[in-house]
Amino acid sequence: MAQHFTLQEIVASLGGQVDIGTHTDAATLKVSRLASLAQAQSGAIAFFNDTKYTQSLQATQAAAVILRPEHRHLTMLPCILTDNPYAYFAKLSALMNPPRQYVSHVHASAAIGFDTHLPSELTVDAMVSIGDRVKLGRDVRIGAGCVIEDDVTIGAHTVLEPRVVVKHGTVIGSHCHLFSGCVIGNDGFGYAEEQGQWVKIPQIGRVVIGDHVDIGANTTVDRGALDDTVIEDGVKLDNLIQVAHNVRIGAHTVIAGCVGIAGSAVIGAHCKIGGAAMILGHLHIVDGVTISPGSMIMRSIQQVGTYTALMPFQKHEDWLRTAANIRHLEQHNLKLKQLEQAISNIQKHSED
């Protein structure tokens, strides 16, 4: 059954300020669900974070809206005023949709290795395999079909969704969330060439993951070749990301889906990397950098800023012409300099 909250109850829990506008009873108005401005109906609360959505705000059927104080004049609906409506909306969503409550248990079909001691408060679902000498913290939740190899450490309150694979020696902090299908600690892609053949380089490092890290579905984080692959506290990785061996990702960096990070790249803290970006190996990116979606980063970034490396899409025939023009830019530039020199000579001659 849906829970109902008054605006006053929400503010008492999450902070902010209620502004009832012209609705004299709005302080006790109850909301039971969250919705977008466009799809909201009676009983829903939405958020407004950007003036480009002003038309949607003024047309919304929401019962109340979360917005900044400086945007209060844009609507007469009851509001919760806060400096960061988007973050407030996220916290409210967690309040109104509490996580599933688990009863501690170890399913009879789970296989538990030697010298692995399970805490009393633990959830292990069906067909889980846990190796030898594994250390699990309090309130860890392990979904069906997960595989945890030998000598793994997982901190308290961490959740593994079904079919996560954690390879040997991996260290995962507390309050992490690993979504279905991700693979942590698989061998990195390391080979040495000898007489036209490839010799595999043993990958003997680990993966070390900090606290409060989220790793999306089917994302892979490879173990280090010698040193560890390190994911620091608060990092958020989307689905289908490839993190190669010996990569280091700084605290609270967020990376969108389908990004590929090649071996030994170092990404700073509080970076934002858009979907499908490619980061070549052995690069260093300083703290606080934003990389636009689809960008190819081919050299280190030493200054904070937003970086983009892509062309807008065109019809294929137009794109071919654009690409041809780019290939000939150096020739065009040389011709331009020659023309400028010729014009300068003509002007000088006429003045003489």
Coordinates of all heavy atoms in Angstrom, one line a residue, residues 236-276:
K236 N 30.6 6.2 -8.9 CA 29.4 5.6 -9.5 C 29.6 5.2 -10.9 O 29.9 6.1 -11.8 CB 28.2 6.6 -9.4 CG 28.0 7.2 -8.0 CD 27.7 6.2 -6.9 CE 27.5 6.9 -5.6 NZ 27.3 5.9 -4.5
L237 N 29.6 3.9 -11.2 CA 29.7 3.5 -12.6 C 28.4 2.9 -13.1 O 27.7 2.2 -12.5 CB 30.8 2.3 -12.6 CG 32.2 2.6 -12.0 CD1 33.1 1.4 -12.1 CD2 32.8 3.8 -12.7
D238 N 28.1 3.3 -14.3 CA 26.9 2.9 -15.0 C 27.1 1.5 -15.6 O 28.1 0.9 -15.4 CB 26.6 4.0 -16.1 CG 25.1 3.9 -16.6 OD1 24.4 3.1 -16.1 OD2 24.8 4.7 -17.5
N239 N 26.1 1.1 -16.4 CA 26.1 -0.2 -17.0 C 27.1 -0.2 -18.2 O 27.4 0.8 -18.8 CB 24.7 -0.6 -17.6 CG 23.7 -0.5 -16.6 OD1 23.9 -0.7 -15.4 ND2 22.4 -0.3 -17.0
L240 N 27.6 -1.4 -18.5 CA 28.4 -1.7 -19.7 C 29.7 -0.8 -19.8 O 30.0 -0.3 -20.9 CB 27.6 -1.6 -20.9 CG 26.4 -2.6 -21.0 CD1 25.4 -2.2 -22.1 CD2 27.0 -4.0 -21.3
I241 N 30.4 -0.7 -18.7 CA 31.6 0.1 -18.7 C 32.8 -0.9 -18.6 O 32.7 -1.9 -17.9 CB 31.7 1.1 -17.5 CG1 30.6 2.2 -17.7 CG2 33.1 1.7 -17.3 CD1 30.5 3.1 -16.5
Q242 N 33.9 -0.6 -19.3 CA 35.1 -1.4 -19.2 C 36.2 -0.6 -18.5 O 36.6 0.4 -19.0 CB 35.5 -1.8 -20.6 CG 37.0 -2.3 -20.7 CD 37.3 -3.6 -20.0 OE1 36.4 -4.2 -19.4 NE2 38.6 -3.9 -19.9
V243 N 36.6 -1.1 -17.4 CA 37.7 -0.5 -16.6 C 38.9 -1.5 -16.7 O 38.8 -2.6 -16.1 CB 37.3 -0.3 -15.2 CG1 38.5 0.3 -14.4 CG2 36.1 0.7 -15.1
A244 N 39.9 -1.2 -17.4 CA 41.0 -2.1 -17.7 C 42.0 -2.2 -16.5 O 41.8 -1.4 -15.5 CB 41.7 -1.7 -18.9
H245 N 43.0 -3.0 -16.6 CA 43.9 -3.3 -15.5 C 44.7 -2.0 -15.1 O 45.1 -1.2 -16.0 CB 44.8 -4.5 -15.8 CG 45.6 -4.3 -17.1 ND1 46.4 -5.4 -17.5 CD2 45.7 -3.4 -18.0 CE1 47.0 -5.0 -18.6 NE2 46.6 -3.8 -18.9
N246 N 44.9 -1.9 -13.8 CA 45.7 -0.9 -13.2 C 45.1 0.5 -13.4 O 45.8 1.5 -13.1 CB 47.2 -0.9 -13.8 CG 47.9 -2.2 -13.6 OD1 48.0 -3.0 -14.5 ND2 48.3 -2.4 -12.3
V247 N 43.9 0.6 -13.8 CA 43.2 2.0 -13.8 C 43.0 2.4 -12.3 O 42.7 1.6 -11.4 CB 41.9 1.9 -14.5 CG1 41.0 3.1 -14.3 CG2 42.2 1.7 -16.0
R248 N 43.0 3.7 -12.1 CA 42.7 4.3 -10.8 C 41.6 5.4 -11.1 O 41.8 6.2 -11.9 CB 43.9 4.9 -10.1 CG 45.0 3.9 -9.8 CD 46.1 4.6 -9.0 NE 45.7 5.0 -7.7 CZ 45.8 4.3 -6.6 NH1 46.4 3.1 -6.7 NH2 45.4 4.7 -5.4
I249 N 40.5 5.3 -10.3 CA 39.4 6.2 -10.5 C 39.2 6.9 -9.1 O 39.0 6.3 -8.1 CB 38.1 5.5 -10.9 CG1 38.3 4.8 -12.3 CG2 37.0 6.6 -11.0 CD1 37.1 4.1 -12.8
G250 N 39.3 8.2 -9.1 CA 39.3 9.0 -7.9 C 37.9 9.1 -7.3 O 36.9 8.8 -7.9
A251 N 37.9 9.5 -6.0 CA 36.7 9.5 -5.2 C 35.6 10.3 -5.9 O 35.8 11.4 -6.4 CB 37.0 10.0 -3.8
H252 N 34.3 9.8 -5.8 CA 33.1 10.5 -6.2 C 33.1 10.9 -7.7 O 32.3 11.8 -8.1 CB 32.9 11.8 -5.3 CG 32.9 11.4 -3.9 ND1 31.9 10.7 -3.3 CD2 33.9 11.7 -2.9 CE1 32.2 10.6 -2.0 NE2 33.4 11.1 -1.7
T253 N 33.8 10.2 -8.5 CA 33.7 10.4 -10.0 C 32.5 9.6 -10.5 O 32.3 8.5 -10.0 CB 35.0 9.9 -10.6 OG1 36.0 11.0 -10.5 CG2 34.8 9.7 -12.1
V254 N 31.8 10.1 -11.4 CA 30.7 9.4 -12.0 C 30.9 9.2 -13.5 O 31.4 10.1 -14.2 CB 29.4 10.2 -11.8 CG1 29.0 10.2 -10.4 CG2 29.4 11.6 -12.4
I255 N 30.6 7.9 -14.0 CA 30.9 7.5 -15.3 C 29.7 6.9 -15.9 O 29.2 5.9 -15.4 CB 32.1 6.6 -15.4 CG1 33.3 7.2 -14.7 CG2 32.4 6.2 -16.8 CD1 34.6 6.4 -14.7
A256 N 29.2 7.4 -17.1 CA 28.0 6.9 -17.7 C 28.3 5.7 -18.6 O 29.4 5.3 -18.8 CB 27.4 8.0 -18.6
G257 N 27.2 5.1 -19.1 CA 27.3 3.8 -19.7 C 28.2 3.7 -21.0 O 28.4 4.7 -21.7
C258 N 28.7 2.6 -21.3 CA 29.5 2.3 -22.5 C 30.8 3.0 -22.6 O 31.4 3.1 -23.7 CB 28.6 2.5 -23.7 SG 27.2 1.5 -23.8
V259 N 31.3 3.5 -21.5 CA 32.7 4.1 -21.5 C 33.7 3.0 -21.4 O 33.5 2.0 -20.8 CB 32.8 5.1 -20.3 CG1 34.3 5.5 -20.0 CG2 32.0 6.3 -20.4
G260 N 34.8 3.2 -22.2 CA 35.9 2.3 -22.1 C 37.2 3.0 -21.6 O 37.5 4.1 -22.1
I261 N 37.8 2.5 -20.6 CA 39.0 3.1 -20.0 C 40.1 2.1 -20.1 O 40.1 1.0 -19.6 CB 38.8 3.4 -18.5 CG1 37.5 4.3 -18.3 CG2 40.0 4.1 -17.9 CD1 37.1 4.5 -16.9
A262 N 41.2 2.5 -20.9 CA 42.2 1.6 -21.2 C 43.2 1.5 -20.0 O 43.2 2.3 -19.1 CB 43.0 2.0 -22.4
G263 N 44.1 0.5 -20.0 CA 45.0 0.2 -18.9 C 45.8 1.3 -18.4 O 46.4 2.1 -19.2
S264 N 46.0 1.4 -17.1 CA 46.8 2.3 -16.4 C 46.4 3.8 -16.5 O 47.2 4.7 -16.1 CB 48.3 2.1 -16.8 OG 48.7 0.8 -16.5
A265 N 45.2 4.1 -17.0 CA 44.8 5.5 -17.0 C 44.4 5.8 -15.5 O 44.0 5.0 -14.7 CB 43.5 5.6 -17.8
V266 N 44.7 7.1 -15.2 CA 44.4 7.6 -13.8 C 43.4 8.7 -14.0 O 43.7 9.8 -14.6 CB 45.7 8.1 -13.1 CG1 45.3 8.7 -11.8 CG2 46.7 7.0 -13.0
I267 N 42.2 8.6 -13.4 CA 41.2 9.6 -13.5 C 41.0 10.2 -12.1 O 40.9 9.4 -11.1 CB 39.9 8.9 -13.9 CG1 40.0 8.3 -15.3 CG2 38.7 9.9 -13.9 CD1 38.9 7.5 -15.8
G268 N 41.0 11.5 -12.0 CA 40.9 12.2 -10.7 C 39.6 12.1 -10.0 O 38.6 11.4 -10.5
A269 N 39.5 12.7 -8.9 CA 38.2 12.8 -8.1 C 37.2 13.8 -8.7 O 37.6 14.7 -9.3 CB 38.6 13.1 -6.6
H270 N 36.0 13.5 -8.4 CA 34.9 14.4 -8.8 C 34.8 14.7 -10.3 O 34.4 15.8 -10.7 CB 35.0 15.7 -8.0 CG 34.8 15.5 -6.5 ND1 33.6 15.3 -5.9 CD2 35.7 15.4 -5.5 CE1 33.8 15.2 -4.6 NE2 35.0 15.2 -4.3
C271 N 35.3 13.8 -11.1 CA 35.1 13.9 -12.5 C 33.8 13.4 -13.0 O 33.1 12.6 -12.3 CB 36.2 13.1 -13.3 SG 37.9 13.8 -13.0
K272 N 33.3 13.9 -14.2 CA 32.1 13.4 -14.8 C 32.4 13.0 -16.2 O 32.8 13.9 -17.0 CB 31.0 14.6 -14.8 CG 30.7 15.1 -13.4 CD 29.8 16.3 -13.4 CE 29.5 16.8 -12.0 NZ 28.7 18.0 -12.0
I273 N 32.1 11.8 -16.6 CA 32.5 11.3 -17.9 C 31.2 10.8 -18.6 O 30.5 9.9 -18.1 CB 33.5 10.1 -17.7 CG1 34.8 10.7 -17.1 CG2 33.8 9.6 -19.1 CD1 35.8 9.6 -16.8
G274 N 30.9 11.4 -19.7 CA 29.7 11.1 -20.4 C 29.7 9.7 -21.1 O 30.8 9.1 -21.4
G275 N 28.6 9.2 -21.5 CA 28.4 7.9 -22.1 C 29.2 7.7 -23.4 O 29.3 8.7 -24.2
A276 N 29.8 6.5 -23.5 CA 30.5 6.1 -24.8 C 31.8 6.9 -25.0 O 32.3 6.8 -26.1 CB 29.6 6.2 -26.0

